[in-house]
Amino acid sequence: MLVLIADKFPTQGRDILARTGEVVYRPELGEADLPAAIAETRADILVVRSTVVNAAAMQASANLSLVIRAGAGVNTIDLKAASARGIFVANCPGKNAIAVAELTMGLLLALDRRIVDATLELRQGTWNKGKFGKARGIKGQTLGLVGFGVIAREVAVRARAFGMKLLAYDPQMPGPELYEHLGVTPQPSLADLLCAADVVSVHVPFNKATHHLIGAEQLALLRPGSIVLHTSRGGVVDDAALAAAVRSGQLRAGLDVFEGEPADSKASYHSLAADLPDIYATPHIGASTEQAEAAIAEEVLRIVHDYAAHGVVHHSVNLADRSTRYSLVIRHLDHVGVLAGVLTALREEQVNVQNMSNIIFAGGQAACATITFEQEPTPALLQRLRDHASILAVELRAARA
């Protein structure tokens, strides 16, 4: 398989990929250039980090069957277009969690001690211990985590070491033992968390449900002097509302992501931090450590290898999330044409197969196929399958309501 890498990727990782197939390394490609590059190379697999993959890129070549985001978020990839073309989209969740958690804590400490402003004044030749020798300190403060995924949990581990009290709100509600293990108190609603926290750190993916999850109404619930940390994805926080709250003196903020941030690694950009000294900011570098990049590269290699060798796609994010009504479990002799006969019988009864797997038992004599679908097969069809000389047993299972 030919792998097109359209972003920066470690040399060692490229060398490993090259052992199993052809690799084209084009880190300079942007959104506009990508469709032509895919068509030219006839790439089977595309690897990107921040490069936008739009519908035109998905349609550029019939060969393209897998897009890998070398990171966690997939908001820069047109999932709808990929799904319509039968193209898998996979990511590398959790591999940059520690890096993002470290930056989150760095922003918090920098805000509390005003490290950036103190450094700037020292560089300008001003010693102002009286001005910068005042800080609240973070021990005993309450940190509210919006979202309780892998990154938020890593933040919790580090914040707990600083003596902070920990709250979390996640509508998915992980098991209570996880909260208990990390010393975190779950909150029944986002509003409850915001009202109780001194520091709020946002760690949720960007989608329709989380767009402007933190807006003017939510920011108004925060105590005066609170800190907002945002290292997830631009758009989860309403930047205009946040700027207004900071400008009013109600709160301070540490940001790594922004609405409408540039896709390129270097560009002209007027950020909120340019006008508001109570905002400390970095240019979306949360995952940018050597350790995180190495971990992500290893996961990309695993995804590519297992897809090329076994057809397995780890962390696919665009598969249908629905339960099928029926599962047909067929134990059969591992003979040529058995499964073809089963599929022919299903087709003749207009049963649309949604998923299928077949495993072989030790010795290679027998196998077990599981086929799922929505339409209930007739008793006649089931009997037809049971009468097949190479089929050992047929069992129809209905999903529980």
Side-chain angles (χ1 to χ4, degrees), residues 324-401:
T324 51
R325 295 181 61 193
Y326 298 98
S327 295
L328 190 63
V329 181
I330 302 174
R331 289 187 288 114
H332 61 95
L333 298 178
D334 189 28
H335 293 170
V336 174
V338 176
L339 292 180
V342 171
L343 294 176
T344 297
L346 292 171
R347 182 193 64 195
E348 291 175 354
E349 194 163 315
Q350 298 296 303
V351 175
N352 182 42
V353 173
Q354 294 184 329
N355 195 12
M356 179 174 177
S357 64
N358 190 53
I359 55 177
I360 310 299
F361 290 94
Q365 296 182 352
C368 183
T370 301
I371 306 171
T372 63
F373 37 77
E374 287 290 324
Q375 178 184 341
E376 183 178 7
T378 64
L381 172 60
L382 298 178
Q383 189 59 48
R384 175 182 172 183
L385 296 176
R386 292 187 178 107
D387 290 341
H388 194 292
S390 295
I391 290 180
L392 303 172
V394 175
E395 179 186 0
L396 179 65
R397 299 174 183 174
R400 294 180 180 178

Side-chain angles (χ1 to χ4, degrees), residues 297-318:
E298 289 177 5
E299 188 65 2
V300 169
L301 295 175
R302 185 175 80 98
I303 293 171
V304 170
H305 175 270
D306 287 357
Y307 179 61
H310 310 295
V312 175
V313 180
H314 301 294
H315 314 306
S316 181
V317 300
N318 64 326

